[in-house]
Amino acid sequence: MQIGCVQLLDFRNYRTLSYRPSGRLNLLTGRNAQGKTNALEAVGVLLTGRSFRTTRLAELPHWGAEAAVLTGELQRSEGTRAIRRVLQRRENGTWQASGESCPWARVIAFGWQDLAIVHGGPSARRAFIDGCAARLYPSHLPALLRYRRLLEQRNRMLQTRASAERLAPWDEQVATVGMEMIDRRRRAVAALHAELTRVYPAVSGEPQKVQIGYRSVVGEATEPAALVAALEQARPVELRRGQTLVGPHRDDLAIELDGVDARAFGSRGQQRLLALALRLAEVLPVTEAAGTAPVLLLDDALSELDPGVRDNALREIQAAEQVFLTSPEPLVVSGAARWVVEGGGIAAA
Ligand SMILES: Nc1ncnc2c1ncn2[C@@H]1O[C@H](COP(=O)(O)OP(=O)(O)O)[C@@H](O)[C@H]1O
Ligand SMILES: [Mg+2]
């Protein structure tokens, strides 16, 4: 899929913008704080209703504005579709987003915060794999929200020191939804792994063996009963702490290069490269699942990479369909559309 045009009204530092990007690679350059990341964020919000860098809607409208409006046109081989999002301030001061999501619209975003997938704590890796699983399987996000609500309720029961009999039905529900989540995460990991073993060496230029695996409290088990058993075993400690301590909300990913944990491995450049490769590895599985290629939003994805690795990454990026790539300094790439971002405007370079 491609986004044919974007119109913004009062989004971040864009007061009004009308932008017609290329259907292939778009290079956005410009000095700091001019609106490069904001432009990518706008495309992501327009397509998915969510920002890849904040969960707080209130940050997105131009300061002092009562509303932000994003409109555009999506194109795929079967036809085009208009899309519109409105962020509006409610009377109580909170913000709400409205606008219908297009069922086949997918965005894969990369930004500096993705370094945390490689060197951060487990929650960054869980967020990564949940995002990926949600792009592959639309039922993942609702299940995730349901699981969180169940956990909150179960935690409240633990805090009141509920009896084993009263906890049992909650354990069953948590285990059923939890196991569904684990299953989709495992399938997402398997799909990513297959592509990652191709993408990472292609970009690094070295025949390194890269591995990503799912690490769960239930090991390789696939039945909810395994999670029920783990909950029962953890129960004495859980009652003391008033918290559910086992389940997918505590699972992790193992990411290894040549058998070494990537967290302990290599330079920042290598960690960035691995984070980028993880995002690029999503492109093919997401294309197959959605029936159309995702739009790539790559924020400053090539900085800190060696020149040869940069060229390899560009080749990989250009194999995707529509891409928005920002860079502080101009990049020379044949066939790419070049744009200069300045003071909340985008002009052809
Ligand atoms: N809600 C907002 N309203 C107006 N300006 C904003 C808002 N949020 C961020 N900005 C401004 O946007 C600019 C940063 O844009 P950004 O896209 O992050 O820059 P860069 O080109 O470096 O990626 C900063 O000048 C910041 O003050
Ligand atoms: Mg930026």
Side-chain angles (χ1 to χ4, degrees):
M1 62 167 278
Q2 299 169 7
I3 184 148
C5 62
V6 186
Q7 288 94 29
L8 303 179
L9 189 69
D10 284 337
F11 182 91
R12 295 270 195 191
N13 67 332
Y14 292 94
R15 300 309 304 258
T16 62
L17 176 79
S18 181
Y19 173 44
R20 278 196 169 273
S22 151
R24 306 293 311 202
L25 176 58
N26 294 277
L27 294 173
L28 286 76
T29 60
R31 288 175 295 117
N32 262 337
Q34 299 302 306
K36 300 184 295 295
T37 305
N38 293 348
L40 266 53
E41 186 183 34
V43 172
V45 171
L46 175 60
L47 291 180
T48 67
R50 315 165 114 241
S51 161
F52 61 80
R53 62 170 169 177
T54 180
T55 54
R56 284 187 297 272
L57 282 181
E59 287 178 23
L60 305 179
H62 188 81
W63 295 317
E66 293 293 312
V69 184
L70 305 87
T71 54
E73 192 179 77
L74 302 188
Q75 305 165 342
R76 63 170 177 170
S77 42
E78 290 86 343
T80 65
R81 176 172 172 146
I83 187 161
R84 176 182 167 89
R85 305 263 173 198
V86 179
L87 311 178
Q88 213 153 12
R89 207 155 76 112
R90 294 197 193 93
E91 291 218 332
N92 67 6
T94 61
W95 286 80
Q96 77 177 9
S98 58
E100 205 185 319
S101 281
C102 171
W104 39 265
R106 296 288 187 282
V107 163
I108 294 175
F110 171 86
W112 62 267
Q113 64 277 9
D114 287 343
L115 257 180
I117 301 167
V118 179
H119 76 49
S123 64
R125 281 179 292 282
R126 286 193 296 267
F128 163 69
I129 200 61
D130 281 332
C132 179
R135 282 182 279 280
L136 294 174
Y137 318 111
S139 56
H140 190 68
L141 198 57
L144 181 66
L145 299 176
R146 182 146 173 256
Y147 181 78
R148 285 199 189 134
R149 279 198 303 276
L150 285 170
L151 270 193
E152 278 171 25
Q153 286 164 317
R154 186 173 184 276
N155 287 346
R156 273 201 296 276
M157 300 201 55
L158 289 169
Q159 282 148 25
T160 59
R161 300 192 158 264
S163 65
E165 295 80 69
R166 286 191 55 219
L167 276 168
W170 290 98
D171 290 7
E172 290 286 339
Q173 287 196 62
V174 166
T176 305
V177 181
M179 214 58 198
E180 273 176 35
M181 277 177 57
I182 292 173
D183 173 57
R184 276 189 296 264
R185 284 178 177 177
R186 282 177 179 150
R187 283 190 280 146
V189 165
L192 274 179
H193 182 256
E195 261 299 90
L196 190 63
T197 53
R198 180 190 69 76
V199 173
Y200 188 84
V203 178
S204 75
E206 286 170 38
Q208 279 168 313
K209 190 163 182 282
V210 55
Q211 269 187 307
I212 170 170
Y214 189 68
R215 296 286 172 270
S216 175
V217 64
V218 297
E220 305 300 315
T222 55
E223 295 300 318
L227 194 46
V228 171
L231 286 166
E232 277 170 7
Q233 208 190 345
R235 186 170 297 157
V237 189
E238 289 189 335
L239 280 166
R240 239 179 293 136
R241 301 242 199 111
Q243 251 191 57
T244 305
L245 297 174
V246 294
H249 65 293
R250 289 293 179 101
D251 289 350
D252 199 356
L253 301 178
I255 305 172
E256 292 176 356
L257 275 174
D258 285 334
V260 179
D261 186 341
R263 268 174 299 182
F265 184 91
S267 65
R268 212 175 124 91
Q270 280 169 311
Q271 292 185 332
R272 263 186 89 99
L273 173 59
L274 188 51
L276 177 62
L278 281 164
R279 291 295 186 195
L280 295 177
E282 249 192 81
V283 176
L284 184 67
V286 168
T287 303
E288 285 171 358
T292 185
V295 171
L296 264 56
L297 306 177
L298 307 176
D299 196 18
D300 205 5
L302 302 184
S303 71
E304 294 183 49
L305 301 182
D306 296 334
V309 174
R310 249 178 203 229
D311 292 344
N312 296 339
L314 265 171
R315 210 171 308 121
E316 191 63 36
I317 287 165
Q318 280 185 290
E321 198 174 315
Q322 191 177 35
V323 182
F324 295 83
L325 172 64
T326 69
S327 156
E329 69 275 357
L331 292 167
V332 183
V333 184
S334 66
R338 294 191 297 129
W339 307 96
V340 174
V341 179
E342 196 171 354
I346 302 178

